[in-house]
Amino acid sequence: MKPVLLVIAHGSRDPRHAATVHALVRRVRSLRPDVRVETGFLDFNIPSVQGVLESLAAEGVRDVVALPLLLTRAFHAKADIPAVLRDAPRQLRIRQAEVLGPSPLLLSALERRLYEAGLTPADKSSTGVVLASAGSTDPEAIAVIADIAREWRHTGWCAVRPAFASAALPRTEDAVRELRALGCARVAVAPYVLAPGFLPDRIARGAAEADVLAEVLGPAPEVARVLLRRYDAASSARMLLPVSA
């Protein structure tokens, strides 16, 4: 039997967050009906990751791929999630998949959201884009966002600048003003976040002076495809996550 895919989301007090996660999971299930997909939350929402793992073990499930619903490899992927998985029932064999980003498919999803917000491919050369992420204190995560912005710029946009809603600079509003100063005919903000919530709302407020604000990535088909690629890669890996003795 194929391993169960456990999608691990952060969780939020904002009900839009869980609703978006569940919509993404439904899309994943529709793409791969042969794979059992469950959802667990680290905080704020139920079911908890620990609760899902205990339920799976009680059913007799043995193989699980735990997939962090994260765009960068920061504290949650490096510390929080491994800690929760180490406390899983001993009979479970758990592989932790890689985070979703970076991926060319996610860039495609970002462009999809910008076009849905009103831009067209013909606008690219005259439009500056703010790649607005949640932010992190992890230097690796910040560097990845900067790398994505540089890569995206080479696809034809007038300019692309990274921005962060917390923990790092610049803020979205500052990146918008920088692109204006560069002479871009229009400025668009592309939230590099998966679901609505506190920090995405801060990004939206920072986009007040922009011409276009895209929606969050949410259940975009490209996101679902990346998720399944990470699942397949982890399923074929030999290394199992160590569990508690």
Side-chain angles (χ1 to χ4, degrees), residues 184-198:
C184 297
R186 67 185 63 78
V187 176
V189 174
Y192 190 59
V193 293
L194 288 167
F198 177 75

Side-chain angles (χ1 to χ4, degrees), residues 118-178:
L119 293 179
T120 70
D123 296 323
K124 291 184 73 169
S125 62
S126 58
T127 301
V129 179
V130 177
L131 179 68
S133 75
S136 173
T137 57
D138 189 309
E140 178 186 348
I142 297 302
V144 166
I145 299 301
D147 288 343
I148 293 170
R150 283 191 292 270
E151 178 183 347
W152 204 14
R153 163 68 181 85
H154 295 314
T155 66
W157 295 101
C158 174
V160 180
R161 293 290 185 272
F164 307 94
S166 68
L169 295 174
R171 295 286 185 259
T172 301
E173 53 269 33
D174 296 324
V176 169
R177 293 175 188 131
E178 180 186 353

Side-chain angles (χ1 to χ4, degrees), residues 13 16 30-31 49 75 105 107 142 144 146 192 236 238:
R13 292 186 178 91
R16 296 174 298 168
S30 71
L31 292 174
V49 176
F75 183 78
L105 282 171
L107 285 181
I142 297 302
V144 166
Y192 190 59
S236 61
R238 293 182 180 181

